[in-house]
């Protein structure tokens, strides 16, 4: 379908960005409020529970090595029903692409530059996203390689610097309230970690030469991103205690506030912001790219780059009106986003998988492309 | 084509001229210290702001190194903002080092204040809280300090010093304070500061210099309300129990006359909660290593048996300090400042569930045991006491 090819190493960095970006700065609060001092167990379990989910994604990818999710659903579910399902999935991608700029504006204006209007920050951010997509997927993938490297190094640095503040007492007693809140928290975290990677199905495997190698990279990227999120939650609870973590809007930012090693390494919490922006940028651009590719596929456009700028304007407007206030956003995240992404990130691929098996085994139809299974 | 491309680039430059919210340093008034008192209508804010012109002068200038701003308001935020009516510069709060709370305010509760400090984006969490013992924060911040030209910095540094070398204060920041208010099984303490005037200081040219600020003991809280004070010795015992000990000075008497002075090198403690027939108890294990700093008298500390005696004396002394503060906290103040409740919570979560609601009454009868080991590491630059004669012992 497409001539653009990316390497499997770039799949690592893109997946890691998608996994980390949505969760690293904010999610600790939600997880800690559910699982209390066991939030770190919850996040470890999340990574484990994510593996079968990723396996489903990879399985679908390997059966249709030249398609993205839109193509798969049309192939499996038929033209009309497949288009409706794909459209619904694309709408999710579009929504995320304007949610992320909203987060960016919210964070910047509440923590860093409160006098700057939201609009300017979002406009710059969306401009960067559009430029990335206009340059093409290869440029985005290469940028993500650099971004993830910078972000990981900075992340390790911040966590080492904050380590003297960690108190093991903050984790005890382990499993005080039993396993149920822990499982609950990891179910919630999955919605921000594992299920997010469904967006990668718009890139993997269509733009990859070797989908098997790419599958390994997919998992590696997932572990890298999941590991970063998990460590950030663990350190927040270790250093801040679960109560303060649960009550902070940006727990990792508050965590980095504590850094005071020597006189030199203090007041460097802005590093956390840099990590967040870099990974967040990968996340939102992958979503936006997925939407544009899928949308132009549905509309049978020859050049997907033509619709980038008009859509960027839509993003800008939507990011301004999507959440009226923070309270609404916090409510939305828990009560709408969780079932929403669950439907598209879990139910949809499982449904596709079932349809594939039924068609292949029961109806003995010749379906899928086995080229990738060499 | 190229000429066309230049136009949007030039246009972009118009919008990229710098940070939107940039504030140059010469338009800021950097707050170094904040005092909060309770008044009938609300809060009285005292702000100590750096005076850059006076600080930049090498020799003494007529101006004071800091400027005080005092405002009243129904809440903290409005009082802080009201300062704009008398200051030419916008306040910048990210460099606050110490927040001084008036004793009246502390007795009425500090929850509402903490909420503001945790919420407002300009305040970080790395400053320390102290209580103006027996006075108001306003008075404390009105005093100029020797050595450090900025009183706020002096408050900050001497708080850290007195924690490390004298052991009567703890430097406590927002995070720790909020944690200990929130947790059920621990109550916070905050260091107290006093205004003292001693006769020895009166030779100073300025009469205001005769007043000094000194840290004295620690204020004990019940939840977020100040309920009493620990004396210096009790504060020391408190530090031994929680294991947060610096280079303290410890002295014991042998035979009632020979005074042996030691410097604590390191001291660690462990609280181990246990449970027998649903009755909790806590064992505090303290491990201290000391150096001998001075021997006033003739005890030959090089002898093995004398060292043993000395060790026992020191163990007794530390135990005495710990028991004293434990008794006061349990019987007089009824406040679990040591976190015994949290120790039980960590070790015996099931028992804690039952105890949690009635912890205030359970705590008063909680048995606490001590297991203290003392090690004497070094004896300084000489071994025997300098003036110990041969054969005399």
């Amino acid at each position: 379908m497409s001539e653009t090819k990316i390497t499997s190493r770039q799949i690592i960095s893109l997946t890691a960005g998608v996994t980390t970006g949505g969760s690293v700065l904010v999610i600790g609060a939600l997880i800690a409020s559910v699982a209390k001092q066991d939030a770190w167990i919850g996040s470890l379990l999340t990574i484990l529970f994510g593996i079968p989910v990723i396996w489903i994604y990879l399985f679908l990818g390997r059966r249709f090595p030249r398609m993205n999710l839109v193509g798969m659903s049309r192939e499996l579910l038929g033209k009309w029903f497949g288009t409706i399902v794909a459209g619904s999935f694309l709408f999710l991608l579009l929504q995320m692409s304007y949610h992320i700029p909203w987060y960016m504006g919210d964070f910047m204006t509440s923590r860093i530059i409160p006098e700057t209007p939201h609009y300017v920050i979002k406009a710059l951010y969306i401009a960067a996203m559009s430029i990335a997509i206009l340059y093409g997927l290869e440029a985005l993938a290469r940028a993500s390689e650099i971004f993830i490297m910078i972000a990981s190094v900075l992340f390790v640095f911040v966590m080492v610097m904050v380590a003297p503040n960690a108190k093991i007492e903050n984790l005890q007693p382990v499993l005080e309230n039993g396993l149920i809140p822990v499982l609950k928290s990891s179910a919630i975290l999955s919605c921000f970690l594992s299920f997010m990677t469904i967006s990668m199905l718009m890139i993997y495997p269509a733009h990859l030469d070797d989908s098997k190698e790419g599958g390994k990279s997919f998992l590696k990227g997932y572990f890298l991103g999941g590991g970063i999120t998990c460590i950030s939650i663990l350190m927040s609870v270790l250093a801040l205690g679960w109560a303060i973590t649960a009550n902070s809007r940006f727990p990792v930012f508050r965590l980095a506030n504590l850094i005071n090693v020597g006189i030199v390494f203090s007041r460097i919490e802005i590093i956390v912001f840099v990590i967040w922006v870099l990974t967040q940028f990968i996340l939102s651009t992958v979503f936006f790219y997925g939407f544009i590719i899928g949308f132009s596929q549905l509309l049978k456009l020859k050049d997907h780059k033509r619709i980038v700028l008009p859509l960027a304007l839509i993003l800008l407007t939507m990011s301004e009106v999507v959440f009226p206030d923070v309270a609404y956003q916090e409510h939305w995240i828990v009560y709408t986003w969780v079932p929403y992404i669950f439907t598209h990130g879990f139910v949809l691929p499982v449904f596709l998988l079932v349809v594939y098996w039924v068609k292949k085994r029961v109806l003995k139809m010749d379906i899928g492309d086995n080229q990738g299974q060499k | 084509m190229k000429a066309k491309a230049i136009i949007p680039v030039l246009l972009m430059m118009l919008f990229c001229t710098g940070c939107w919210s940039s504030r140059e340093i010469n338009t800021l008034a950097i707050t170094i210290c904040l005092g909060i008192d309770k008044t009938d209508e609300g809060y009285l804010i005292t702000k100590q702001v750096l005076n850059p012109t006076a600080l930049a002068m090498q020799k003494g200038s007529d101006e004071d190194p800091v400027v005080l701003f005092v405002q009243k308001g129904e809440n903290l935020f409005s009082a802080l903002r009201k300062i704009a009516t008398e200051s030419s510069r916008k306040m910048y709060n990210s460099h606050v080092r110490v927040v001084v709370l008036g004793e009246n305010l502390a007795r009425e509760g500090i929850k509402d204040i903490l909420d503001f400090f945790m919420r407002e984006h300009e305040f970080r969490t790395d400053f320390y809280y102290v209580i103006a013992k027996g006075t108001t924060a306003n008075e404390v911040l009105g005093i100029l300090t020797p050595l450090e030209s900025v009183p706020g910095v002096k408050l900050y540094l001497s708080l850290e010093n007195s924690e490390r070398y004298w052991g009567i204060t703890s430097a406590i920041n927002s995070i720790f304070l909020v944690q200990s208010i929130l947790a059920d099984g621990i109550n916070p303490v905050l260091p107290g500061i006093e205004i003292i005037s001693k006769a020895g200081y009166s030779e100073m040219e300025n009469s205001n210099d005769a007043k000094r600020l000194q840290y004295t003991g620690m204020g004990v809280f019940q939840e977020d309300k100040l309920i009493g004070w620990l004396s210096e010795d009790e504060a020391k015992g408190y530090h031994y129990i929680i294991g947060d000990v610096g280079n303290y000075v410890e002295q014991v008497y042998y035979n009632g006359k020979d005074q042996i002075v030691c410097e604590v090198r390191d001291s660690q403690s462990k609280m181990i909660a246990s449970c027998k027939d649903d009755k909790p108890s806590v064992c505090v294990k303290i491990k201290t290593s000391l150096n001998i700093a001075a021997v006033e008298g003739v005890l030959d500390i090089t002898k093995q048996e004398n060292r043993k005696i000395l060790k026992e004396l020191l163990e007794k002394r530390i135990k005495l300090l710990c028991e004293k503060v434990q008794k006061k906290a349990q019987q007089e103040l009824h406040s679990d400042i040591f976190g015994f409740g949290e120790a039980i919570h960590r070790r015996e979560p099931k028992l804690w569930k039952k105890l949690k609601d009635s912890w205030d009454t359970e705590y008063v009868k909680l048995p606490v045991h001590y297991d203290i080991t003392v090690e004497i590491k070094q004896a300084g630059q000489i071994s025997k006491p300098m003036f110990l004669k041969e054969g005399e012992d």
Side-chain angles (χ1 to χ4, degrees):
Chain A
M1 172 210 110
S2 169
E3 297 305 307
T4 48
K5 291 288 174 202
I6 57 174
T7 66
S8 51
R9 247 184 67 160
Q10 287 162 344
I11 287 283
I12 300 185
S13 59
L14 285 171
T15 320
V18 169
T19 321
T20 321
S23 49
V24 71
L25 193 57
V26 279
I27 195 63
L30 191 54
I31 303 306
S33 67
V34 176
K36 310 226 157 97
Q37 66 269 44
D38 300 323
W40 63 283
I41 303 178
S43 58
L44 269 180
L45 286 179
T46 307
I47 298 181
L48 279 182
F49 294 158
I51 295 171
V53 178
I54 304 284
W55 183 82
I56 295 174
Y57 298 171
L58 292 180
F59 184 84
L60 280 175
R62 240 179 279 153
R63 291 299 171 278
F64 303 94
R66 287 173 183 190
M67 287 179 191
N68 54 29
L69 196 67
V70 173
M72 287 174 208
S73 66
R74 284 172 105 189
E75 172 96 16
L76 284 171
L77 305 176
K79 201 176 170 196
W80 284 104
F81 189 52
T83 307
I84 292 168
V85 169
S88 154
F89 174 68
L90 288 179
F91 186 65
L92 175 108
L93 294 182
L94 176 69
Q95 264 198 318
M96 271 315 279
S97 350
Y98 57 72
H99 280 179
I100 302 295
W102 183 88
Y103 279 106
M104 187 61 63
D106 175 50
F107 179 78
M108 290 287 267
T109 50
S110 70
R111 284 291 171 280
I112 301 175
I113 38 177
E115 282 141 42
T116 312
H118 271 206
Y119 211 65
V120 179
I121 299 162
K122 289 175 197 160
L124 284 172
Y125 188 76
I126 292 170
M129 275 165 64
S130 321
I131 290 170
I133 291 171
L134 286 176
Y135 271 129
L137 180 64
E138 295 101 323
L140 171 64
R142 281 198 292 269
S144 79
E145 268 187 282
I146 302 172
F147 285 177
I148 279 296
M149 238 181 280
I150 299 174
S152 322
V153 170
L154 289 180
F155 180 77
V156 170
F157 173 74
V158 168
M159 289 302 134
V160 168
M161 284 293 145
V162 93
N165 296 298
K167 274 189 234 133
I168 196 80
E169 285 88 358
N170 283 332
L171 294 186
Q172 291 166 325
V174 176
L175 291 179
E176 185 189 11
N177 301 312
L179 257 178
I180 289 156
V182 176
L183 292 177
K184 223 173 170 180
S185 80
S186 72
I188 294 174
L189 187 58
S190 296
C191 296
F192 297 86
L193 212 84
S194 328
F195 298 153
M196 290 298 239
T197 50
I198 184 99
S199 62
M200 286 298 291
L201 276 185
M202 294 304 287
I203 294 172
Y204 168 92
H207 295 294
L208 216 74
D209 277 331
D210 184 355
S211 62
K212 197 152 199 185
E213 188 62 25
K216 269 185 210 155
S217 313
F218 199 124
L219 263 180
K220 273 184 207 161
Y222 170 72
F223 285 134
L224 175 61
I228 288 180
T229 306
C230 184
I231 292 171
S232 76
I233 289 174
L234 174 68
M235 287 306 282
S236 306
V237 177
L238 268 175
L240 296 173
W242 71 265
I244 294 178
T245 307
N247 212 341
S248 298
R249 290 210 53 219
F250 307 103
V252 182
F253 194 67
R254 176 140 278 169
L255 176 69
N257 248 321
L258 296 177
I259 294 176
N260 192 358
V261 176
I263 306 166
V264 190
F265 297 111
S266 58
R267 300 177 181 263
I268 49 174
E269 62 264 24
I270 208 70
I271 289 181
V272 169
F273 173 67
V274 173
I275 298 169
W276 189 58
V277 169
L278 292 178
T279 52
Q280 185 95 296
F281 180 77
I282 301 173
L283 170 78
S284 57
T285 320
V286 165
F287 273 79
F288 192 32
Y289 176 81
F291 174 72
I292 284 172
I293 285 289
F295 197 54
S296 46
Q297 209 177 327
L298 284 188
L299 299 181
K300 298 208 176 65
L301 298 179
K302 277 200 187 94
D303 184 7
H304 68 87
K305 285 181 184 170
R306 293 242 172 119
I307 56 169
V308 172
L309 285 181
L311 278 170
L313 287 177
I314 291 175
L315 290 197
L316 185 55
T317 323
M318 285 308 289
S319 71
E320 199 61 18
V321 296
V322 55
F323 298 129
D325 52 46
V326 170
Y328 182 87
Q329 177 259 335
E330 280 175 354
H331 188 267
W332 191 89
I333 277 295
V334 181
Y335 294 98
T336 311
W337 174 249
V338 170
Y340 189 25
I341 186 79
F342 182 76
T343 327
H344 289 86
F346 188 70
V347 177
L348 172 63
V350 167
F351 180 58
L352 290 180
L353 197 68
V354 169
V355 171
Y356 174 81
W357 267 333
V358 167
K359 282 195 165 179
K360 183 117 188 165
R361 296 278 145 79
V362 182
L363 303 173
K364 307 269 188 220
M365 285 165 84
D366 184 28
I367 201 164
D369 183 333
N370 291 326
Q371 196 198 29
Q373 281 185 308
K374 272 178 271 183
Chain B
M1 185 61 208
K2 268 195 177 164
K4 264 188 197 165
I6 288 176
I7 296 169
V9 171
L10 285 177
L11 268 176
M12 248 186 228
M13 281 168 72
L14 269 182
F15 298 103
C16 299
T17 49
C19 244
W20 194 295
S21 309
S22 77
R23 277 147 67 182
E24 296 303 326
I25 193 153
N26 59 0
T27 65
L28 294 179
I30 296 169
T31 315
I32 202 80
C33 228
L34 194 61
I36 307 168
D37 290 304
K38 192 100 186 170
T39 62
D40 297 336
E41 304 98 67
Y43 298 103
L44 178 80
I45 293 285
T46 313
K47 234 178 186 196
Q48 214 175 61
V49 171
L50 293 181
N51 181 358
T53 22
L55 283 169
M57 302 251 187
Q58 287 292 323
K59 290 259 165 69
S61 74
D62 296 339
E63 288 180 67
D64 285 333
V66 288
V67 183
L68 280 189
F69 290 101
V70 183
Q71 273 301 344
K72 279 181 192 166
E74 279 171 52
N75 53 57
L76 273 183
F77 197 48
S78 68
L80 283 169
R81 274 296 162 86
K82 226 181 191 175
I83 291 174
T85 56
E86 54 170 327
S87 161
S88 57
R89 294 182 177 188
K90 172 111 172 49
M91 293 292 153
Y92 187 59
N93 296 320
S94 291
H95 287 270
V96 168
R97 305 273 67 193
V98 174
V99 169
V100 184
L101 308 170
E103 185 165 347
N104 285 340
L105 174 78
R107 283 192 188 276
E108 279 181 41
I110 56 173
K111 268 182 187 156
D112 304 335
I113 291 172
L114 285 172
D115 183 273
F116 173 71
F117 283 125
M118 294 295 279
R119 198 181 290 277
E120 168 69 21
H121 82 278
E122 260 193 12
F123 288 100
R124 296 162 52 85
T125 47
D126 59 351
F127 52 82
Y128 298 141
Y129 291 90
V130 299
I131 302 169
K133 187 178 177 183
T135 172
T136 62
N138 181 277
E139 303 242 330
V140 167
L141 292 186
I143 288 172
L144 288 178
T145 49
L147 290 178
E148 293 294 336
S149 50
V150 181
V153 174
K154 127 95 208 179
L155 285 179
Y156 183 78
L157 291 175
S158 65
L159 181 59
E160 286 189 335
N161 279 341
S162 59
E163 184 188 14
R164 271 195 30 216
Y165 302 115
W166 199 237
I168 55 160
T169 57
S170 289
I172 287 169
N173 63 22
S174 302
I175 298 288
F176 190 75
L177 190 57
V178 171
Q179 271 177 356
S180 35
I181 292 175
L182 279 177
D184 296 311
I186 186 167
N187 279 319
V189 290
L190 282 182
I193 195 156
E194 250 183 343
I195 301 171
I196 49 161
S197 48
K198 286 186 192 162
Y201 299 152
S202 62
E203 279 170 31
M204 310 268 184
E205 316 127 44
N206 200 327
S207 63
N208 194 23
D209 281 353
K211 282 184 183 163
R212 291 274 171 90
L213 294 173
Q214 190 186 350
Y215 286 105
T216 45
M218 291 207 284
V220 174
F221 283 70
Q222 176 69 262
E223 289 281 295
D224 69 322
K225 292 184 179 66
L226 179 72
I227 47 166
W229 292 92
L230 297 182
S231 70
E232 294 198 7
D233 270 359
E234 287 157 355
K236 229 182 207 172
Y238 166 78
H239 280 106
Y240 276 115
I241 293 179
I242 64 163
D244 176 28
V245 178
N247 295 3
Y248 298 176
V249 177
E250 212 52 84
Q251 70 274 26
V252 285
Y253 291 92
Y254 175 67
N255 282 345
K257 60 180 171 45
D258 295 355
Q259 189 180 178
I260 294 121
V261 190
C262 294
E263 188 192 12
V264 178
R265 295 306 308 173
D266 181 40
S267 180
Q268 276 159 359
S269 85
K270 236 186 200 168
M271 276 176 219
I272 296 161
S274 54
C275 156
K276 229 180 201 175
D277 311 330
D278 270 12
K279 289 271 177 264
S281 68
V282 172
C283 176
V284 183
K285 281 191 175 154
I286 301 173
K287 216 174 155 190
T288 310
S289 59
L290 309 107
N291 287 350
I292 289 167
V295 181
E296 296 184 5
V298 288
L299 183 73
D300 185 357
I301 53 160
T302 52
K303 278 191 181 156
Q304 211 46 254
E305 66 263 27
N306 283 349
R307 283 205 162 206
K308 214 171 161 193
I309 295 169
L310 187 56
K311 253 186 188 172
E312 274 163 16
L313 283 172
L314 282 164
E315 278 162 16
K316 241 183 235 164
R317 155 91 180 158
I318 292 173
K319 193 172 178 187
L320 191 79
L321 286 172
C322 294
E323 274 172 347
K324 203 172 151 193
V325 64
Q326 175 219 332
K327 220 169 161 188
K328 178 157 181 177
Q330 276 188 329
Q331 283 158 18
E332 207 176 300
L333 303 169
H334 308 301
S335 169
D336 183 5
I337 49 176
F338 314 104
F340 289 147
E342 282 304 301
I344 296 170
H345 182 189
R346 286 196 293 271
R347 210 44 197 251
E348 308 276 345
K350 276 183 197 139
L351 176 68
W352 177 244
K353 273 216 175 106
K354 279 182 246 160
L355 288 176
K356 206 164 91 179
D357 296 324
S358 57
W359 179 238
D360 286 344
T361 48
E362 290 286 332
Y363 166 68
V364 177
K365 4 176 229 207
L366 178 81
V368 181
H369 312 287
Y370 295 94
D371 176 7
I372 296 166
T373 5
V374 164
E375 266 180 71
I376 300 165
K377 291 274 183 199
Q378 289 162 6
Q381 297 198 57
I382 53 175
S383 50
K384 285 182 191 176
M386 204 69 186
F387 305 106
L388 178 74
K389 284 181 189 121
E390 285 295 324
E392 182 188 333
D393 214 343

